[in-house]
Each structure stands twice: as C-alpha cells, then as structure tokens.
Amino acid sequence: MTRPAAADALDLAPHPEGGWYRRTWTSPVVVDTPYGPRPSATAILYLFDAPGRWHRVRSTELWCRHSGPAADLVLGGDGDGPVPGPVLRLAPGSPQCEVPAGVWQRAVPDAGGPVLVSCLVSPGFDVADFELR
C-alpha cells in the first residue's frame, strides 16, 4: 500500500480497516463503563480512498467530513455480523453523521480522491471495544 502525500503531511499511520489515521485528541476526563474506565471522548483524523472493512465500536461515533469527495457510511445492524442496511451520506450538505454504539459500519468513498474526516468517539476509543470483519 502506497502512503498518499496527504497521509505524509498529516503524519498518519495505516488503519486496520483500511486508510490512514492518527489520534489527535483524548479527553482528560475519564468515565467508568461496563468494560472499564475510558476517556470521555477521543478523536482521530482518518483519510481513506477505498471502501473500508466492516467494523464496530462499543461507543457512539460522530464522523465529520473535512475534504475530498462525498462518502457513504453503510450501516450493518447490531447482530453477530454485518447485514448491509441504511446508508448515511457524508457530503457538503451533510458533513456530519452519527453511527450508534455497537452498530456495524463501513465507509465507502465516491471516486475522485481521498476523503479526510475526523471521528469523535464517546466514550473514548479503546482497542478492546473494536471488532473488525
């Protein structure tokens, strides 16, 4: 996988679901969850130009589109495995989308170059709360 210039400029590392990322913020406030203490929220920059792998997180995610073509967030329900369902559109007229906690999802960009987003996760992201297919 060739690292795009934008990933170099933003100091992004490979992401397990595809694309490139870097954690940019971790709240200093810690909350107790059924799975242990977590920061109240975390944020990453995420750059992608190909469909990502199905994954889910135990926390709610807010996706905020910054640049690049529009993209779809395909939701896959909250069962044992993803079942493609509703599609949320990240585009100029709808630059933010919420993915509920525990819901399967995958990002699918439109053609035309990489999409840059921020993902805010609350309670904050912990790798123990992440499942990938």
Side-chain angles (χ1 to χ4, degrees), residues 54-70:
W54 283 105
H55 68 285
R56 65 177 168 180
V57 178
R58 286 186 181 138
S59 299
T60 299
E61 288 186 69
L62 181 66
W63 287 63
C64 304
R65 181 181 161 274
H66 299 298
S67 64

Side-chain angles (χ1 to χ4, degrees), residues 32-110:
D32 289 323
T33 76
Y35 308 101
R38 302 287 188 263
S40 62
T42 57
I44 66 168
L45 283 174
Y46 179 50
L47 181 74
F48 62 101
D49 63 0
R53 294 175 58 190
W54 283 105
H55 68 285
R56 65 177 168 180
V57 178
R58 286 186 181 138
S59 299
T60 299
E61 288 186 69
L62 181 66
W63 287 63
C64 304
R65 181 181 161 274
H66 299 298
S67 64
D72 291 331
L73 295 176
V74 182
L75 303 185
D78 60 3
D80 290 337
V83 177
V87 175
L88 307 176
R89 187 83 169 144
L90 285 167
S94 57
Q96 295 182 344
C97 292
E98 177 188 333
V99 177
V103 171
W104 291 100
Q105 60 178 294
R106 72 188 294 239
V108 180
D110 287 358

